């Protein structure tokens, strides 16, 4: 009886862990995006297959945060037979092997694959493809097993390459590519706890370098504008420049002193406008954000600005 209760308790705990894993926030999961290369199958069918892959990603404990597309789930379709059924109207019947793959587009490396045989029939080729893809389930055993294998390999990748990732990010920062460096570091999910901590610390350090360098450059630019045009019009331009200086920058006390200097030399109407703009600046998100949230914002902005066609080009060569 005691053994039975022990087994029951263990099974209950295991189920709770599985439920908890499904409820983890996106930042705690490995980010993966669905990609179907263009040209192999009709566009409408490709979109249908991509939707199936996206559902499989979500159903198997991954996240798709929309800007980290290093790891992808893709599929290659090979037609094994194709017939036109003599009916009214004629129907297209196709059999195919669909090879699902998880890989790393940065390393150009495939981590895991599985192949599923499908068949579909429709009044045209596109509908035959969609009919076949309708049989793909996020809970399909082969697909689940492949995704689990990929997850383990991705976690191992982060563990074994963490120091290298931090070093590479610091090298990018040395070339003043601060946003890219931060993007790479904040892309590490916190499910990889040790590596996540190292990368967060490095990202914060690089963020401070970024805002310090930008703060010096922007303050110099603002002072040059004011020296050339010390009036209401110049003050407006100065306000626009100052608003781009992060309050976490090392020279922020100099910024405050310069603001006071500009304000003291403006006439009443211009002074009211200046004070209003400075208040807007202090009410901005930059003053409310923690440095960790600021790092994430930089990473998101950089990731969203990257061209997506690079990923499809790399994936189209996987076989």
């Amino acid at each position: 009886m005691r053994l039975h209760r022990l087994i029951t308790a263990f099974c209950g705990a295991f189920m709770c862990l599985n439920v908890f894993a499904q409820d983890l926030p996106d930042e705690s999961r490995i980010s993966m995006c669905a990609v179907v290369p263009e040209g192999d199958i009709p566009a409408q069918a490709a979109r249908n297959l991509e939707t199936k892959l996206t559902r499989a990603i979500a159903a198997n404990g991954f996240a798709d945060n929309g800007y980290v597309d290093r790891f992808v789930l893709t599929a290659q379709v090979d037609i094994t037979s194709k017939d036109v059924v003599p009916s009214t109207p004629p129907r297209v019947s196709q059999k195919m092997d669909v090879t699902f793959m998880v890989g790393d587009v940065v390393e150009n490396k495939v981590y895991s694959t599985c192949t599923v045989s499908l068949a579909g029939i429709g009044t045209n080729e596109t509908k035959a493809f969609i009919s076949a893809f309708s049989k793909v389930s996020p809970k399909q055993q082969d697909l689940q097993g492949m995704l689990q294998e990929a997850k383990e390999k991705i976690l191992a990748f982060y563990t074994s390459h963490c120091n290298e990732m931090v070093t590479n990010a610091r090298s990018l920062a040395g070339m003043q590519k601060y946003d890219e460096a931060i993007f790479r570091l904040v892309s590490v999910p916190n499910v990889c706890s040790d590596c996540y901590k190292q990368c967060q610390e490095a990202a914060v350090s690089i963020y401070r370098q970024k805002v310090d360098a930008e703060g010096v450059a922007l303050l110099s630019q603002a002072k040059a504008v004011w020296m050339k045009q010390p009036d209401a019009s110049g003050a407006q331009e100065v306000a626009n420049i100052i608003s781009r200086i992060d309050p976490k920058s090392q020279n922020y006390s100099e910024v405050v002193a310069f603001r006071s200097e500009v304000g003291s030399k403006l006439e009443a109407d211009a002074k009211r406008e200046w004070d209003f703009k400075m208040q807007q600046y202090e009410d901005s998100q930059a003053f409310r954000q923690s440095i960790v949230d600021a790092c994430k914002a930089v990473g998101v902005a950089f990731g969203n600005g990257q061209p997506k066609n690079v990923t499809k080009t790399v994936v189209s060569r996987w076989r």
Side-chain angles (χ1 to χ4, degrees), residues 131-145:
S131 170
F133 297 153
S134 68
K135 300 174 177 67
V136 176
S137 167
K139 297 295 185 182
Q140 205 157 339
Q141 191 172 359
D142 290 345
L143 189 54
Q144 281 189 316

Side-chain angles (χ1 to χ4, degrees), residues 78-95:
D78 295 307
I79 304 299
T80 55
S81 70
K82 180 177 178 179
D83 299 297
V84 177
V85 180
S87 59
T88 305
R91 297 165 73 83
V92 176
S93 174
Q94 293 187 140
K95 292 182 180 180

Side-chain angles (χ1 to χ4, degrees), residues 256-275:
V256 172
F258 179 61
R259 283 171 49 184
S260 298
E261 178 189 336
V262 172
S264 68
K265 295 179 180 178
L266 294 173
E267 295 181 3
D269 288 345
K271 178 70 163 57
R272 279 193 293 273
E273 179 66 19
W274 171 261
D275 289 342

Side-chain angles (χ1 to χ4, degrees), residues 40 116 145 157 252 256 315:
D40 290 348
V116 177
F157 166 83
Y252 185 66
V256 172
V315 169

